[in-house]
Amino acid sequence: MTTVHAASTATTPRTEHLRRESLDAVPRISGERASIITAFYKANLGKYSPPMMRARAFYELCDTKVLYLGDGELIVGERGPRPKEVPTYPELTCHSVEDLRILDSRPKTRYKVAADVIAQYERDIIPYWHGRSLRDVMMAELPAEWHDAYDAGCFTEFMEQRAPGHTVADGKLYHKGMLGFKADIAEAIAALDFEHDAEALDKREQLRAMSLACDAVMRYAERYADLAAVEALTTDDDERRMELLKIAAVCRHVPANPPRNFHEALQTYWFAHLAVITELNGWDAFSPGHLDQHLAPFYDAGLADGSLMREEARELLECFFIKFNNHTAPPKVGVTAAESGTYTDFANINLAGLLRDGRDGSNEVTHLLLEVIDDFHLLQPSSNMQVSRLTPDAVLKHALRVIRNGYGFPSLFNADVVVQEQLRQGKSLEDAREGGCSGCVEVGAFGKEAYILTGYFNLMKMLELALHDGFDVRTGKFIGARTGDPAQFHTFENLFTAFEAQVRHVLDIKVRGNQLIERLYATRMPHTFLSVITDDCIVRGKDYNAGGARYNNTFIQAVGIGSVTDSFSALKELVFETGERSLKQFVAALDANFHHEEVLRQRLVHKTHKYGNDDPYADALMTRTFNMLFDAIDGRPNIKGGAYRLEMLPTTCHVYFGEVCLASADGRGSGLPLSEGISPVQGADRHGPTAVLQSAARMDHVKTGGTLLNMKFSPTLLAGEHGIDNLHALVRGYFKLGGHHMQFNVVTAEQLREAKADPSAHRDLIVRVAGYSDYFCDLSEALQDEIIARTEHGEF
Amino acid sequence: MSAAVVDAPVCSTATAVPSGLIFNVQRFSVHDGPGVRTTIFMKGCPLACSWCHNPESQELAPTFVRLQHRCMRCGRCSDDELALPTVVNKTECDVDLCPTGALQLVGERIDAARLVERALRDRTFFDESGGGVTISGGEPLVQAPFVTDVLRRLRGAGIHTALDTCGFAPWENLRDAAAVADLVLYDLKLMDPVRHEAATGASNERILFNLTALCAWHANVHIRVPVIPGVNADDANIDATARFLRSLNRALPVNLLPYHPSAEPKFARLGKHYTLHGTVSPSTAQLEAIVARFAAHDLVATIGGLSS
């Protein structure tokens, strides 16, 4: 494994020390935030409107939380009291004592929880939030049909755990300080029309709260300036004294004012990042967006006037990366011991891409960032390259050389298609170009959009419901539509029609639930700081969670298209074409998990048409399923003036969805993982990577808000410049065919098996999971096996 | 894309050849010429090299094979049948009904238009990499008229074409096929005719004659030397190979293809004796020494099938 994780090469002893410290820090649950928030709510509930309540609570946090200023740090600020000390958000979701105990003791992705934190939860936090947390309210409000479908594993719901998120900064942070935002807010308040606008009062409350959120962030920075200044007085180290004085000066200037140099630009973003993730626990934290584009002017100016050296810029970037890695994801509530979760919080940096005017967006900072990504290989931040037709080959090949080293970073996106996807959703061309991807593969207009993920949708379960007249065998309940006895399906059309009816029926349930959930967030849980930095919340006087953003898309993530396609392919051929089996017999075999039917199962695995082989028979069923899903989802109105959209990504949900499904007609045994993203069923693709790409490109990616394609390559295939050229051709070819995203694992199945057998020797092995990279040894056994089973493309 | 290909202009002098016998169309082939390629493997070979990687390709007829490791003993084949090293008395229908794909028929009859359509599926990737289509085997020239027809059609579609040949074919066949190949990958196994015959079943006289004739006019010929320890990796053979190549007055690039023992089970499956049992792949040091020997003759040899 030595080639896969060589030692990092930090630029300086400082960053090597900070990196080591970050890697060695053990994730812990901090009770600080829960304590401050709970005390604040106890004292103030009922005094203020919801936005003002949130902003005041946020101010309280910024004003009183413990500050951390680590030895040698240049970029400052931690959400918790120390690196990897993770706060909780009991007003959203309140952990139970059992949750905390499991987190403290589970073997994988463990979070240490001190006894006094558990005691504090038991004594103060849980009693106050029980029945009051948004999740408790939500669960009480959601109807039985929603709970039944949710329990059956038809879908998941992102916002039952964390706030609406998936949000990314655009460049305005670097041009406008908090004082500037406050001036804009004051102007918006002055322009309110109390005579004609019935919502004027609500808007003023919202705007005042947003203004207070700016004050909160400035207060936090000011406290850091004071702390650094005090430490400068007490340190014996002259060099460190100068650094501390510089930190103090930086924090006195930003984020109140626009940054003047590279260092201040990074610190500006970091304060904004902390503010977003401290106020609320939104999905995927917060992301810097086109960091290379944002930083290039500061970098160029610094180099030009001699105030910045390349190595100095790189050291600052390294300090910046370590900050992300210090911020372990807050753990879910309702955890189980078996569930592994992930430490990663999905912050994702975009590289290259396009400029607002359509020119190539790559620059020297792109290369600098790639160097840091390559040498640091930290879990966070994640990174991706937006590859357009204009992206120079040398830039893409630099990324491919980093990818070859095997950490799964960066993933690659088709910037031209990303723009088209957004144009289709009705965004302006410039906003689309300034957008990109965040989280795993999701597309958004950075700084101008609330693009909310609502949950994964289990396609295989819909087929299962169609084969059982709406009955869910596992939970013993009628969940779906009554589409009739499958014995009466005489044609494939009958079957597909029943499938579509189940999809629409369950989607209706999900969307009804989701509208309710989003309304709860809109009215009870505004995100005041995020609203400040998201256009056009100020102009509209509306919160990010209430439709204030310029664009509001709500995404549903379909999972298992490969498995469902292959199942359809088998049923179509063996039941409706050759008539080898009746559908009734087939369903009986699936219900019995192929008991005494291994010959049938083998045939299904080896002898039917499979998606991922450039086989028109299977691929036509994939596109048909995809188009039906698109028609069923796209354009449904959400509560924020936007629409529902379709995405094709699984994160790790293909494992969970597989667990709740019976055996399927593609030969998959009961409980085993579904296919992930738009990748073929694990091992079903037998004609090499180009055939996979051709099949995947038959989907009309422009109609989605993101698709995810995983590929696994053996290291030998990518050896030398010839290997880079081959990979380059695959990427360019797939993107020419219209693909949205691709990502690579460059590690052999054998190496992964070794790591699974001997985790202690492979603790630092990072693999691409689905839209993000994670430590292989932290993954659940089912997910480890699934990744091992993915087809490895070797050389021919 | 494929529709456009089918409609692409085809040279009117093409000899209509109804169909050919192939055994594989390998996509993302990256060692048989420049860029990302699709390699068509033709069935049938006049030689029987002891190291052959595709012994199932030698016979000019579909060949039944059974992959024992895949067999689930479903009962369709009797225990007696399974005990035999080779497949007897099986039909295409048996292949269809084999649940695991253990029983396979190696060899598929296909007409030129359909084959070209299949080969062009990855055209986008050819374009992005400067790749194209390679015809290999077996020995493609066993089905020379068909192969020439296919190459001509590919050429007509604007595709970079390569012919991978052992050179053991009537000159006219090689000439006609090479005329529509942008690149000829030409195997040179052994210089001594007697040793050549012992290792491959045929003398090399025609092969050397054809190469000489080919080099008189074809602009792009790469020599491929399989490096088989104990067969042709000795200094004497390498020197003789280099001297012969120098005599052609062209500095032909040389690709060294290191021996790999992976074909041994295939020989067993076909009931053939594998004479190289126990032979190990040449070491990097051995290969580099051979590169150096070629260099001493002012010839550039590279390890692996990459085209420079």
Side-chain angles (χ1 to χ4, degrees), chain A residues 622-673:
Chain A
M622 182 280 288
T623 50
R624 182 170 182 191
T625 304
F626 170 79
N627 288 328
M628 183 275 283
L629 271 175
F630 173 80
D631 290 339
I633 294 174
D634 190 78
R636 284 178 185 241
N638 64 21
I639 62 143
K640 292 182 293 197
Y644 282 82
R645 311 285 184 197
L646 170 63
E647 279 170 351
M648 307 297 289
L649 73 126
T651 311
T652 61
C653 213
H654 56 296
V655 176
Y656 163 64
F657 280 170
E659 278 167 14
V660 298
C661 282
L662 304 170
S664 48
D666 58 343
R668 182 191 129 276
S670 169
L672 295 175

Side-chain angles (χ1 to χ4, degrees), chain A residues 598-599 602-603 606-607 614 687 689-691 693-694 717 722 726 729-730 732-734 736-737 795-796, chain B residues 26-31 36 70 72 74 95-101 121-122 124-125 127-129 306:
Chain A
E598 185 58 15
V599 171
Q602 288 292 338
R603 282 206 61 191
H606 295 285
K607 294 306 221 19
D614 196 8
H687 291 94
T690 57
L693 298 177
Q694 299 276 11
L717 181 73
H722 189 64
N726 294 334
L730 287 179
R732 293 282 193 192
Y734 181 55
K736 199 178 195 178
L737 292 169
E795 51 196 312
F796 303 116
Chain B
Q26 179 71 66
R27 303 165 71 157
F28 198 59
S29 175
V30 294
H31 293 310
V36 171
R70 277 218 201 166
M72 67 174 293
C74 68
V95 171
D96 283 346
L97 290 175
C98 172
T100 61
R121 289 225 180 136
D122 278 346
T124 308
F125 298 97
D127 289 349
E128 291 299 329
S129 63
L306 321 187

Side-chain angles (χ1 to χ4, degrees), chain A residues 424-659:
Chain A
R424 193 198 68 78
Q425 298 164 1
K427 296 175 196 167
S428 81
L429 181 59
E430 287 76 11
D431 287 353
R433 285 175 180 151
E434 282 186 338
C437 298
S438 66
C440 295
V441 299
E442 302 84 297
V443 169
F446 296 166
K448 303 161 192 77
E449 180 172 6
Y451 52 117
I452 310 306
L453 271 63
T454 70
Y456 300 105
F457 190 78
N458 188 343
L459 295 176
M460 186 55 84
K461 182 60 82 178
M462 299 308 110
L463 178 54
E464 208 179 289
L465 292 174
L467 293 174
H468 295 86
D469 192 16
F471 186 71
D472 180 56
V473 175
R474 197 181 62 92
T475 56
K477 286 183 181 172
F478 275 98
I479 304 289
R482 300 302 298 266
T483 44
D485 180 356
Q488 303 305 313
F489 297 164
H490 299 300
T491 64
F492 181 74
E493 292 309 309
N494 293 153
L495 173 62
F496 198 86
T497 303
F499 172 69
E500 178 169 359
Q502 298 298 348
V503 166
R504 287 183 180 272
H505 179 86
V506 177
L507 272 174
D508 288 346
I509 295 173
K510 168 142 188 71
V511 169
R512 281 194 289 267
N514 194 73
Q515 304 283 63
L516 183 155
I517 293 167
E518 289 206 32
R519 192 67 196 156
L520 286 175
Y521 275 100
T523 53
R524 304 186 186 202
M525 208 55 78
H527 202 157
T528 58
F529 181 77
L530 183 55
S531 302
V532 171
I533 57 172
T534 304
D535 298 330
D536 302 310
C537 295
I538 295 176
V539 175
R540 294 183 180 173
K542 275 201 171 174
D543 193 80
Y544 171 89
N545 282 343
R550 184 173 302 167
Y551 307 111
N552 293 278
N553 285 302
T554 304
F555 289 97
I556 293 175
Q557 297 78 49
V559 176
I561 186 109
S563 299
V564 159
T565 297
D566 291 358
S567 298
F568 275 137
S569 152
L571 292 168
K572 185 169 191 265
E573 184 182 356
L574 301 185
V575 175
F576 300 107
E577 287 171 5
T578 67
E580 193 177 312
R581 295 259 175 158
S582 73
L583 191 53
K584 197 175 169 187
Q585 290 170 321
F586 222 118
V587 172
L590 299 181
D591 288 355
N593 195 18
F594 297 110
H595 189 59
H596 296 312
E597 289 277 16
E598 185 58 15
V599 171
L600 172 66
R601 199 185 76 80
Q602 288 292 338
R603 282 206 61 191
L604 296 172
V605 170
H606 295 285
K607 294 306 221 19
T608 54
H609 297 277
K610 302 280 186 188
Y611 165 69
N613 293 290
D614 196 8
D615 175 344
Y617 187 98
D619 292 355
L621 291 164
M622 182 280 288
T623 50
R624 182 170 182 191
T625 304
F626 170 79
N627 288 328
M628 183 275 283
L629 271 175
F630 173 80
D631 290 339
I633 294 174
D634 190 78
R636 284 178 185 241
N638 64 21
I639 62 143
K640 292 182 293 197
Y644 282 82
R645 311 285 184 197
L646 170 63
E647 279 170 351
M648 307 297 289
L649 73 126
T651 311
T652 61
C653 213
H654 56 296
V655 176
Y656 163 64
F657 280 170
E659 278 167 14

Side-chain angles (χ1 to χ4, degrees), chain A residues 38 50 85 108 132 139 219 292 344 417 493 507 551 576 632 724 726:
Chain A
T38 305
E85 294 205 0
K108 291 181 177 185
R132 282 197 180 93
M139 290 301 162
R219 171 70 191 130
D292 49 357
T344 185
V417 164
E493 292 309 309
L507 272 174
Y551 307 111
F576 300 107
I724 292 298
N726 294 334

Side-chain angles (χ1 to χ4, degrees), chain A residues 237-299:
Chain A
D237 182 341
D238 289 344
E239 207 176 312
R240 183 61 181 158
R241 180 176 306 113
M242 295 309 291
E243 288 169 8
L244 287 163
L245 289 173
K246 186 166 187 197
I247 290 169
V250 167
C251 296
R252 294 242 185 267
H253 189 77
V254 297
N257 305 287
R260 295 165 296 189
N261 55 46
F262 195 81
H263 187 159
E264 288 184 354
L266 288 172
Q267 186 66 60
T268 296
Y269 173 78
W270 190 245
F271 277 135
H273 184 97
L274 287 177
V276 172
I277 67 172
T278 299
E279 186 184 356
L280 266 183
N281 181 23
W283 272 101
D284 294 354
F286 190 57
S287 291
H290 290 290
L291 189 63
D292 49 357
Q293 297 180 19
H294 298 158
L295 292 178
F298 300 102
Y299 178 79

